Amino acid sequence: MTDEEEPILRFRDDDQARALYDRIDALMDAIGEPVSLMHVCGSHEEAIAKYGLRANLPADLSVRMGPGCPVCVTDMPEIDEGIALAEAGVTVATFGDMFRVPGTEGSLRDAKREGASVEVVYSASDAVEYARANPEESVVFFATGFETTAAPTAAVLAADPPENFSVLSVHKYVPPAMEAIAELPETNIDGFLAAGHAAAITGYGLFEDLVEEHEIPTVVGGFEPLDVLRAIADLLEMIATDDPGLGNAYPRVVSEAGNVAAQETMWSVFEQTTRAWRGLGEIPSGNLEIRPAYAAHDAREQFDIDPDVGPVDPLAEQCLCGDIMAGTADPDDCTLFGTVCTPRDPVGPCMVSDEGTCNIWNRYGGRPEV
Ligand code: SF4
Ligand code: SF4
């Protein structure tokens, strides 16, 4: 083992995993009834599926995926806005997975095939660099993602980008979506495993109101197998003792206050507004819109975006992504899963993104506990 491997392998230790599974079993016995937990991060689903964590969890403990993939929750009309811009002659810079997500009539990839200018970038900074290098083009960064990516987008906008650069913000803010899900009667969630990466920016203290208002246990978790198991055990402890609290099972990365400088930049550029999340509908204050002070770099202010779209593809209407993100369905409840809908030819967004539940389940052999 090299020095570089050791820190990671500490979080994959068999003995510690067995001890955590024993603790989880004992807590489930103490609770004495089925428990349903929801995580809100694609990377959590990846860890659970990749390391086969579900296989050893008690049968009456369900760990479901919520709206944890920013690609999956980007609404069709938002993708249509991006496509409309590309078709109007603007260069749209976007992340690779957004490139393939279907809007009402095709994806940005389809638009590129038909001659539109669409560039795949890895970050907001890459998009700005592209704009600087191509001053004759109008470049719009199609900005997707949660707090983790909204903060870098804000940093780029605050750093005086070139005139030919603007942002189409479809950034979303996770806590309001967790509140909306906590209020959905059909979801019936007993606790949230909150996303460690997002909480690294916002701090775990942010979830205090959610816990208090909804009396729902919430624990921030990391992405190594032991991180996930520890967070699950901590949640069960709160449920067993009927003491819904707020926990941090990822202290090596997440603090109570988070990255205050990043938060200040983010809130100086963005304000919370209400738009629809795909499959979940309107989430009050769940979107991050560019403040008027940055209107010169706000694509919605700079361009007249009016997508000309037709009816939704009947195949897309069968897609269960909305139910999956609300925690009321699993990918194999969808009749299209793995047959008509595959990563190569996705029908819905959950199959496109590496962080989408359908894509993850498909990659790890169908239902992960089998
Ligand atoms: S952006 Fe971060 S918190 Fe959100 S799904 Fe991806 S890894 Fe998880
Ligand atoms: S398998 Fe495809 S069509 Fe079915 S829910 Fe998943 S993404 Fe949607």
Side-chain angles (χ1 to χ4, degrees):
M1 188 192 302
T2 66
D3 286 351
E4 275 151 22
E5 283 167 333
E6 193 175 359
I8 290 177
L9 292 181
R10 270 198 292 134
F11 301 103
R12 298 179 187 175
D13 176 81
D14 278 353
D15 291 340
Q16 288 189 58
R18 259 187 288 273
L20 281 167
Y21 274 119
D22 289 347
R23 190 173 151 219
I24 288 170
D25 285 343
L27 286 165
M28 285 301 292
D29 285 346
I31 294 166
E33 55 186 46
V35 170
S36 183
L37 305 178
M38 175 180 276
H39 65 76
V40 273
C41 178
S43 300
H44 279 145
E45 187 60 34
E46 172 89 26
I48 290 167
K50 180 172 178 184
Y51 298 105
L53 301 187
R54 280 196 184 88
N56 293 312
L57 291 175
D60 50 356
L61 170 59
S62 136
V63 183
R64 324 188 65 97
M65 168 112 179
C69 172
V71 175
C72 301
V73 298
T74 302
D75 205 20
M76 267 199 195
E78 293 176 321
I79 293 165
D80 293 338
E81 280 185 292
I83 293 171
L85 279 171
E87 287 174 344
V90 168
T91 296
V92 174
T94 184
F95 295 129
D97 39 16
M98 277 318 299
F99 187 56
R100 298 164 50 230
V101 178
T104 312
E105 287 192 334
S107 60
L108 282 163
R109 179 173 65 175
D110 297 331
K112 186 173 175 107
R113 280 181 182 150
E114 282 161 26
S117 175
V118 183
E119 291 292 320
V120 171
V121 291
Y122 293 98
S123 66
S125 314
D126 280 355
V128 169
E129 285 318 308
Y130 181 90
R132 278 193 218 287
N134 296 278
E136 71 291 354
E137 293 180 32
S138 291
V139 179
V140 171
F141 177 49
F142 187 56
T144 57
F146 302 137
E147 296 84 302
T148 338
T149 45
T153 304
V156 153
L157 285 175
D160 199 17
E163 267 178 30
N164 65 327
F165 174 80
S166 56
V167 168
L168 177 62
S169 174
V170 302
H171 281 305
K172 305 212 169 349
Y173 189 51
V174 175
M178 290 166 74
E179 290 200 27
I181 285 171
E183 283 168 13
L184 281 179
E186 64 272 28
T187 300
N188 209 8
I189 293 297
D190 300 305
F192 280 118
L193 170 48
H197 292 161
I201 303 286
T202 56
Y204 72 86
L206 176 83
F207 297 110
E208 247 164 45
D209 290 349
L210 172 82
V211 171
E212 265 172 37
E213 273 169 38
H214 299 278
E215 296 196 333
I216 187 155
T218 301
V219 173
V220 172
F223 306 99
E224 288 295 328
L226 293 185
D227 290 326
V228 175
L229 292 175
R230 180 181 157 192
I232 291 173
D234 289 358
L235 281 167
L236 294 178
E237 188 94 49
M238 292 176 191
I239 295 166
T241 54
D242 198 17
D243 182 17
L246 175 59
N248 178 18
Y250 198 27
R252 67 184 187 280
V253 172
V254 175
S255 66
E256 185 167 3
N259 182 337
V260 176
Q263 288 167 40
E264 283 173 1
T265 307
M266 188 171 94
W267 292 123
S268 73
V269 170
F270 291 114
E271 57 191 341
Q272 287 175 257
T273 54
T274 299
R275 294 173 71 90
W277 291 41
R278 190 184 293 224
L280 293 177
E282 288 203 340
I283 304 284
S285 304
N287 270 69
L288 297 174
E289 209 87 34
I290 296 171
R291 288 184 186 274
Y294 292 90
H297 297 289
D298 181 346
R300 288 197 180 97
E301 295 294 327
Q302 297 304 311
F303 302 97
D304 187 17
I305 310 174
D306 185 14
D308 175 21
V309 294
V312 177
D313 177 344
L315 211 52
E317 283 184 341
Q318 295 177 46
C319 172
L320 293 187
C321 283
D323 298 330
I324 290 170
M325 285 178 290
T328 58
D330 289 324
D332 57 2
D333 293 325
C334 176
T335 52
L336 310 179
F337 175 69
T339 52
V340 177
C341 180
T342 61
R344 185 181 266 267
D345 198 7
V347 173
C350 288
M351 190 59 95
V352 176
S353 163
D354 283 353
E355 290 181 0
T357 316
C358 298
N359 182 299
I360 293 170
W361 283 39
N362 192 76
R363 242 182 304 138
Y364 293 104
R367 202 177 174 83
E369 60 262 58
V370 178

